[in-house]
Amino acid sequence: MQSIVDFLNGIIWSPVLIYLCLGAGLFYSVMTRFVQIRHFTEMWRLLLSGKSSSKGISSFQALAVSLSGRVGTGNIAGVAAAIGFGGPGAVFWMWVVAFFGAATAYAESTLAQIYKEEDNGEFRGGPAYYIEKAMGQKWYAWIFAIATIFACGFLLPGVQSNSIGNAVEAAFGSGAMIETAIGTFSFAKILTGTIIAVILAFIIFGGVKRIANFTQIVVPFMALAYIVTAFIIVLLNIGEVPRVFAMIVGDAFTPMAGVGAAIGWGVKRGVYSNEAGQGTGPHAAAAASVDHPAQQGLVQSFSIYIDTLLVCSATAFMIIITGAYNVHGAEGFLVQNVAADIAANGPVFTQMAIESALPGIGKPFIAVALFFFAFTTILAYYYIAETNIAYIRRTFKVNGLMFLLKVALIAVVFYGTVKTANLAWAMGDVGVGLMAWLNIVGILIIFFMSKPALKALHDYEEQQRKGVTEYTFNPVKLGIKGADYWEEKYRRKTGKEPESELDSKPVEQPST
C-alpha cells in the first residue's frame, strides 16, 4: 500500500504542481496589484465587523472554520517534516508560498462567494460550484467534488488523528498493548481514538452552526497559546535569532539538502498547511454573510498570514533554535542532532524543542495543542466533504449520503489514530495534490474566461473610493453570469432589476 501511494505522489507532486502553486500565486498577485499588501488594513476591519445571519455565518466565524482547516497538523508535524527532509531552507519556501498564496486565497474565496447558493436555509459554495457556473463545465466540477469527498472524507482526516495519537502516546506513554481485529495497538491510541470519535460525532451531527461556534472559540485560543509559547522560547534564546534567520535564508539557496528538496518540501508542506489554491478554504468562505464577495476574499487572504507567517514560523523557530531536528539526505543524515529513530513525519521534533526549553511542558503541551488543532481541522474536512455531497445531491437526490459520510468519517478518524504515520501523510498528500491540481487549473481558466474575482475587486475598490456606507454587488453590471444569489439579493435590496451598464443607457433614436 505504501509503495502504491508513494508512486501516486511521485506523479501528483511532480515539479509541475510545485511551480503551478507558486506560479498561480505570483500571477494573481500581479493581476490584483498585490491585494495581500494593499488591503492589509481592510482585512483587519472586515475581520472584526462582520455579523452572522440566519442563513450564513459571520466573516470571523468563516475565518475560524477555514483556519481550523489551515491550522492543524501541518503547522506542528508538517513543519517538522519540511525541516527534516528539506533542511531549514524549506521554511523560507513556506513563507514564499504563504505570501503569494494569500492572493490565490483571495481569488478562490471571492469566486466561492460570487457563485454561492442557498441550500436548506444555509449558504453553500466552493470550487465545484464556481467551476460549474463560471467555466460551464459540469463534468470538471463533478471530478473536483468526488476527489474532494474522497480526500476530505477519507484521506486527510486520518493524517490529523494520527498526529493526535502519536502526540498523546509520546506525552503520556503507550500503556498496555491490545489486540484487535485490525491489529495490535497501544491502549493510549485506542482510548484517544475513542474520545475523538465521540466528540466528533456530537459536533458534526449538529450542523455548520455548531462547527462554527466551536471553532471560533477553540482556534484563536489555541493559536494564541501556541504562539505565546514559541515567543517565550525565542526570548529565552534571543541571541540565536540572527543565526536562525541566516540559516533559513541561506539554506533556501544552497544544496544543504538539495535546493530542489528545500523548495519541494517547503512548497508541499506550505500548501498542505495554508491550503492556498488547494480549494478547501472557499467552502467556508461561501458560508459567510457579507455585503460584497470581495470582502470575504480579503478576510480569507488574511488567514494565510495567520497560518504560515505566525503559527508555522513559531514551530520552525522553536525547532531550529533548540536544534531538535535531523535532516535526511539521499544516503543518510546531512544533519543529526537527535536520535536517528525519531521520525520527521510527526510532532516529536516540536515536542522535543519545547521540552528542551521548558522542561516538563513540551510533550503534554504539544499533545493538547495538536488535539485541538487537528480536531478542528477534522471538523473543517467534514464540512468540506458535506458541501460537496450537497453539490452532488443537486443532481442526484439520494437520501442517506450525509449520514453515511458522518459514519465513514468517524471510522476513518478512529483508524487513523492508530495506523502508521508515513502512510497517513502519504495518503493525505495524494488528496491535497489532487484537489490542488483541479482547483488551481480551474481558477486560472476562469480568470482568462471572465475575470470575475478581479472584477469584484475593482468594484469593491470603486465603492471604497466613493465612500459608501453600505456596499452592494450587481454581478450583471460587471458582466458576471451565473451569480443567481447576488442578483436576487440586489433585487431585494434596491427594488431594481440588476442591469448591466449597457442595459441602463438610454437607446438613441435614429435621426430622420
Side-chain angles (χ1 to χ4, degrees), residues 17-294:
L17 178 58
I18 291 170
Y19 295 124
L20 184 65
C21 292
L22 287 172
L26 176 61
F27 175 78
Y28 268 107
S29 294
V30 172
M31 290 297 101
T32 61
R33 294 181 296 121
F34 291 88
V35 64
Q36 65 268 51
I37 299 175
R38 292 191 301 111
H39 287 295
F40 188 80
T41 54
E42 180 69 0
M43 294 174 188
W44 269 106
R45 188 190 71 80
L46 293 169
L47 182 62
L48 302 174
S49 64
K51 297 180 180 179
S52 61
S53 70
S54 60
K55 296 175 182 177
I57 56 181
S58 70
S59 289
F60 181 77
Q61 287 177 320
L63 175 76
V65 172
S66 63
L67 269 177
S68 68
R70 301 186 201 280
V71 179
T73 301
N75 299 81
I76 297 176
V79 174
I83 294 171
F85 294 108
V91 177
F92 175 84
W93 293 105
M94 293 183 78
W95 292 342
V96 172
V97 168
F99 177 73
F100 290 123
T104 310
Y106 163 79
E108 62 183 1
S109 297
T110 301
L111 288 173
Q113 266 290 328
I114 291 172
Y115 297 104
K116 69 182 179 182
E117 297 179 356
E118 290 184 28
D119 177 37
N120 293 325
E122 293 181 345
F123 290 138
R124 297 277 190 190
Y129 292 82
Y130 58 68
I131 287 170
E132 176 187 329
K133 294 183 176 184
M135 283 178 60
Q137 303 296 326
K138 195 169 184 177
W139 63 271
Y140 192 93
W142 267 71
I143 292 175
F144 180 89
I146 293 170
T148 304
I149 293 167
F150 182 63
C152 293
F154 301 99
L155 296 181
L156 296 171
V159 173
Q160 304 296 325
S161 61
N162 181 262
S163 289
I164 297 175
N166 288 343
V168 169
E169 194 174 59
F172 305 108
S174 59
M177 301 304 292
I178 299 174
E179 291 187 12
T180 69
I182 57 174
T184 302
F185 308 109
S186 69
F187 172 77
K189 285 193 172 183
I190 291 176
L191 178 63
T192 303
T194 303
I195 292 171
I196 295 170
V198 170
I199 300 174
L200 180 64
F202 171 75
I203 295 175
I204 64 176
F205 278 96
V208 66
K209 289 281 189 179
R210 187 176 291 177
I211 294 172
N213 289 333
F214 181 81
T215 55
Q216 75 171 343
I217 296 171
V218 172
V219 171
F221 173 76
M222 280 311 304
L224 183 61
Y226 189 74
I227 292 168
V228 167
T229 302
F231 186 67
I232 291 170
I233 292 174
V234 170
L235 284 179
L236 292 174
N237 299 273
I238 193 68
E240 293 290 300
V241 171
R243 181 185 67 83
V244 172
F245 261 116
M247 186 182 296
I248 290 173
V249 175
D251 287 345
F253 300 97
T254 60
M256 185 258 206
V259 176
I263 297 173
W265 278 96
V267 174
K268 182 188 290 188
R269 286 290 168 252
V271 172
Y272 189 94
S273 173
N274 65 50
E275 301 184 4
Q278 184 181 320
T280 51
H283 296 88
S289 292
V290 289
D291 294 326
H292 195 286

Side-chain angles (χ1 to χ4, degrees), residues 142 389-390 392-404:
W142 267 71
I389 286 181
I392 287 175
R393 284 175 56 189
R394 293 156 75 243
T395 304
F396 290 105
K397 304 290 185 182
V398 181
N399 295 323
L401 287 179
M402 294 297 187
F403 178 78
L404 288 175

Side-chain angles (χ1 to χ4, degrees), residues 87 96 110 127 145 156 184 215 272 322 324 350 372 395 413 445 449 485 512:
V96 172
T110 301
L156 296 171
T184 302
T215 55
Y272 189 94
T322 59
T350 313
F372 285 108
T395 304
V413 164
I445 291 174
M449 288 180 66
Y485 164 78
T512 58

